[in-house]
Amino acid sequence: MNAKSIYSDEKIVSNQHQYNKEQRSLLIKRILSNRLMMFGSIILILLTIVAFLAPVIATQDPLAIDASSRLQAPSSEHYFGTDNLGRDLFSRVIYGTQASMVVGISVALISGFFGMVIGLYSAYNRYLDHVLMRICDGLMAFPAILLAIAIMAALGPKTVNVIAALSFVMIPTVARVIRSAALVVKEQTYIEALKSQGASGIRIIWVHIAPNTISQLIIQLTYVFAISIIIEASLSFLGVGIPAPDPSWGNIIYEGKAVIYNAWWMTVFPGMFIILAVLALNLFGDGLRDMLDPHSKK
Amino acid sequence: MKAYIIQRLLSLIPVMLVVAVVVFFIIHLTPGDPAAVILGPDASIEEVNHLREEMGLNLPIYEQFLIWITKVVQGDLGWSIYMDKPVLQAFLENLAPTLSLALMAQIIAILISIPAGIIAATKRGTFTDQTFMIISLLGISVPNFLLALLLVLVFAINFALLPVAGFQPLSSGILPHIQYLILPAFALGAIQAALIARVTRSSMLDVLNANYIKTARSKGVKKNVVIFKHALKNAFIPILTVIGQTFGQLIAGAVVIETVFNIPGIGQLIINAIMRRDFEVIQGTILLIAFSYVIINLIVDLLYGFFDPRVRLSAKN
């Protein structure tokens, strides 16, 4: 390359142009990412409404078997068609929304609480840290879904057990995130000042460190929510999750698998709801992370 | 390097111990008497008591654990009551299809994701970049069993291009083997592809902004040479990590995918064992998968030290 081209006016102009273009694309990206977050939020609100109002929205009893109308294609009477027992699929998917949202929110709250306690105390106390983090390492050595399958195999298929198993699986991840956030806060000068003033450990942890880890916790919990929905659906699909006849997105697809040749709707409709819910949670989480945690922005 | 290897090996001990304890106690979570559950409701009290004695269930729990862990260390993972053979043998017999599936999924994932990540990084902020990233977000949001069924609907039922389900071992020829595995492997690899693509993109972006890349470019080195020779090499460590971490998840994901396609692998072994309440099979299989997951992560960490001298030097201090 010759020196002339580097210093030529054209190059400077094109550099300026490049710079403007980059600034603009950055702006576009930011708006887009917020738009995506908006889209995610709207879907989440809609799904929450559907879950709360399931008895109102559902057109029929999700458990009512009607042998004369088995495996009917979607129609104005049955929006999503009927399943292998003639039950109205639309109503079942709506009630399945309720099941998935209950599992997801419960797991997020339970694993959030225990993960926070474990994370904060191991950040604060060296000895506890060694013990608790080795246990977390051990638990994280299991692929999440496998540990959940094993626990469900022992406990038996029940919604409460799904929540318990998933919470147990998620706690170490949450604890790790809170711990590393708390370790950063702990090094701040004001914590040192509080210590020298004689503030108790419990006070420092809960009044001064905990609130500064909340944004990290919330971001993490949206992902926990999303993963819970995926794993719950997988467990129910394997027949070790939410037991029949109560509908869940996963167990509807499980029943649909046997008739996939004649009834695509049993796979596609509950599947669409799973994808929408998880996508919405991921978009919401990404947007939240960009807003609350500017360092992570690429 | 030696110090680093020793340090990593020592750190495995507590992890393995926690894994073993968890696997042992999970089965003891089962409500009721395992012996009674195995024999079913028709068994007499004497029969149940006899089996309890045989399984060592009358011993204190820590003694049961010690006996079990001693056997495990010696390679005895228990006995499948239903299949009437050692758990380890059953595991090994079912291993090949799962490994084939996971490997093929990994290959597909790498082939798709790394080029996609590089293209997205070099065309940062453009339409191509955003399209790739939206596709990868979708990839992360679709559970693999669902993607599998959707692929079956389109490619096996609608277009009848590929078999709906089933498995052909490698011994019956490479082509049928691949033909039966392509849909399951794609469904399994999609999430991995999405994750690896995201990491490739962000890792490449970090490196492409580095001064030595700018220097190389301003010295007149061609763009492609800079991207592939200078940048990719240094961006590779995070990519390697995510590949290693996700390979363990592939094996777990294979468990679910196998039930969709009726592939006779580890997944079917576990699911059948759950249905038959064949506890020692569940225990042994989960333990082996968790152990191999730990070993894979160890290998990745060691490769790390190999590729990046900073990692092994920090172990010395």
Side-chain angles (χ1 to χ4, degrees):
Chain A
M1 184 187 272
N2 56 33
K4 199 182 151 208
S5 75
I6 295 178
Y7 298 109
S8 72
D9 285 346
E10 281 160 28
K11 194 74 185 179
I12 292 168
V13 169
S14 94
N15 272 346
Q16 185 62 38
H17 183 69
Q18 185 68 26
Y19 178 73
N20 284 343
K21 210 172 135 192
E22 261 179 28
Q23 284 297 90
R24 215 182 309 137
S25 75
L26 203 73
L27 195 71
I28 291 171
K29 237 186 105 185
R30 204 166 285 175
I31 294 169
L32 189 78
S33 81
N34 271 332
R35 262 197 208 152
L36 289 173
M37 189 185 171
M38 284 290 291
F39 172 76
S41 320
I42 292 169
I43 301 284
L44 283 181
I45 292 168
L46 286 178
L47 285 174
T48 315
I49 294 174
V50 167
F52 268 109
L53 297 182
V56 183
I57 298 170
T59 49
Q60 289 173 32
D61 180 357
L63 302 179
I65 294 173
D66 178 6
S68 62
S69 57
R70 294 173 63 223
L71 295 180
Q72 284 182 2
S75 63
S76 57
E77 194 189 344
H78 302 285
Y79 301 138
F80 289 176
T82 61
D83 72 359
N84 49 335
L85 296 174
R87 295 172 293 196
D88 180 52
L89 199 62
F90 177 74
S91 308
R92 286 183 68 73
V93 171
I94 295 299
Y95 272 92
T97 309
Q98 201 176 39
S100 291
M101 296 300 264
V102 166
V103 169
I105 290 172
S106 313
V107 172
L109 290 178
I110 296 171
S111 66
F113 174 75
F114 287 103
M116 183 135 191
V117 173
I118 294 171
L120 286 174
Y121 278 91
S122 39
Y124 197 76
N125 185 314
R126 235 166 203 277
Y127 300 102
L128 266 179
D129 187 36
H130 272 293
V131 178
L132 290 175
M133 283 307 115
R134 288 302 80 73
I135 295 175
C136 284
D137 284 346
L139 289 176
M140 285 164 88
F142 293 95
I145 184 145
L146 206 70
L147 187 55
I149 290 175
I151 298 174
M152 290 309 294
L155 293 177
K158 238 189 211 167
T159 307
V160 186
N161 294 348
V162 174
I163 294 172
L166 282 175
S167 303
F168 183 73
V169 171
M170 294 301 170
I171 288 171
T173 328
V174 180
R176 277 235 169 249
V177 170
I178 296 297
R179 172 180 174 270
S180 53
L183 280 176
V184 175
V185 180
K186 200 185 133 194
E187 295 304 316
Q188 309 273 319
T189 327
Y190 75 92
I191 299 291
E192 219 169 286
L194 285 165
K195 270 189 201 160
S196 65
Q197 285 178 344
S200 71
I202 291 181
R203 190 181 165 79
I204 292 177
I205 291 174
W206 288 105
V207 179
H208 300 285
I209 297 181
N212 290 308
T213 61
I214 291 285
S215 62
Q216 292 285 329
L217 179 74
I218 295 173
I219 296 166
Q220 193 57 32
L221 291 188
T222 56
Y223 296 125
V224 166
F225 196 159
I227 298 168
S228 304
I229 288 184
I230 291 185
I231 300 186
E232 179 272 311
S234 308
L235 291 174
S236 300
F237 175 73
L238 293 172
V240 293
I242 297 176
D246 290 331
S248 85
W249 294 334
N251 70 21
I252 296 172
I253 297 176
Y254 170 66
E255 285 162 7
K257 188 194 148 199
V259 290
I260 194 165
Y261 268 106
N262 341 338
W264 54 267
W265 48 91
M266 279 187 75
T267 306
V268 170
F269 289 118
M272 257 168 39
F273 271 73
I274 296 177
I275 296 173
L276 263 185
V278 178
L279 189 66
L281 281 163
N282 281 335
L283 288 173
F284 185 72
D286 286 352
L288 213 58
R289 193 186 51 201
D290 287 351
M291 277 168 54
L292 297 177
D293 183 12
H295 300 295
S296 73
K297 201 176 284 173
K298 266 275 137 64
Chain B
M1 190 72 195
K2 210 193 257 169
Y4 178 65
I5 294 176
I6 292 172
Q7 196 193 27
R8 281 300 286 114
L9 282 175
L10 284 179
S11 71
L12 281 192
I13 298 171
V15 172
M16 296 279 203
L17 198 67
V18 173
V19 168
V21 170
V22 169
V23 169
F24 178 77
F25 280 100
I26 279 176
I27 298 307
H28 288 261
L29 285 175
T30 313
D33 182 353
V37 172
I38 288 168
L39 291 174
D42 298 331
S44 70
I45 296 173
E46 289 85 56
E47 281 174 319
V48 172
N49 280 339
H50 183 70
L51 188 66
R52 278 185 69 84
E53 195 70 42
E54 208 170 272
M55 291 173 73
L57 291 173
N58 293 326
L59 296 169
I61 194 94
Y62 66 90
E63 260 182 56
Q64 288 185 40
F65 178 71
L66 282 180
I67 293 171
W68 177 74
I69 195 81
T70 318
K71 279 188 182 169
V72 166
V73 171
Q74 292 165 351
D76 177 6
L77 289 167
W79 189 267
S80 162
I81 295 180
Y82 197 89
M83 290 178 286
D84 202 24
K85 57 181 153 191
V87 172
L88 189 62
Q89 191 192 331
F91 182 86
L92 293 176
E93 283 170 6
N94 284 269
L95 187 60
T98 304
L99 272 186
S100 259
L101 175 59
L103 273 178
M104 198 152 142
Q106 185 70 280
I107 292 169
I108 292 178
I110 291 173
L111 287 182
I112 297 175
S113 62
I114 293 184
I118 294 173
I119 293 170
T122 51
K123 303 198 177 218
R124 180 186 184 181
T126 61
F127 179 73
T128 322
D129 179 24
Q130 279 161 6
T131 314
F132 277 5
M133 286 305 110
I134 288 172
I135 293 175
S136 90
L137 192 66
L138 260 176
I140 294 171
S141 305
V142 185
N144 52 21
F145 75 89
L146 180 61
L147 182 60
L149 289 168
L150 295 177
L151 289 174
V152 165
L153 269 175
V154 175
F155 292 103
I157 295 177
N158 212 357
F159 293 122
L161 288 172
L162 291 159
V164 173
F167 178 76
Q168 287 291 326
L170 201 53
S171 55
S172 60
I174 186 112
L175 264 179
H177 184 65
I178 291 179
Q179 198 186 11
Y180 274 86
L181 274 182
I182 197 115
L183 280 186
F186 189 83
L188 183 57
I191 295 177
Q192 265 58 33
L195 288 171
I196 299 171
R198 286 183 142 204
V199 172
T200 306
R201 176 179 177 273
S202 69
S203 178
M204 279 299 277
L205 280 179
D206 284 343
V207 176
L208 286 175
N209 281 330
N211 282 334
Y212 71 88
I213 295 293
K214 288 178 189 150
T215 312
R217 280 290 282 145
S218 60
K219 274 167 66 184
V221 182
K222 286 209 174 66
K223 197 176 176 191
N224 282 337
V225 177
V226 171
I227 290 171
F228 289 101
K229 205 174 154 198
H230 299 237
L232 188 58
K233 203 168 153 192
N234 286 292
F236 208 68
I237 289 180
I239 302 175
L240 186 72
T241 321
V242 75
I243 291 175
Q245 283 169 350
T246 54
F247 188 71
Q249 289 170 8
L250 275 182
I251 293 183
V255 169
V256 184
I257 291 293
E258 280 169 18
T259 58
V260 176
F261 291 94
N262 292 327
I263 295 171
I266 302 294
Q268 287 223 325
L269 185 69
I270 294 179
I271 298 301
N272 286 340
I274 291 174
M275 299 307 161
R276 301 161 181 164
R277 313 218 122 231
D278 201 344
F279 290 117
E280 293 196 3
V281 177
I282 306 176
Q283 216 170 25
T285 314
I286 303 256
L287 187 72
L288 280 174
I289 296 181
F291 274 2
S292 49
Y293 196 46
V294 172
I295 301 292
I296 291 167
N297 281 336
L298 173 77
I299 295 171
V300 173
D301 274 7
L302 293 181
L303 283 177
Y304 240 33
F306 183 72
F307 279 115
D308 189 348
R310 283 170 301 182
V311 174
R312 58 176 188 261
L313 287 177
S314 74
K316 270 189 182 161
N317 304 323

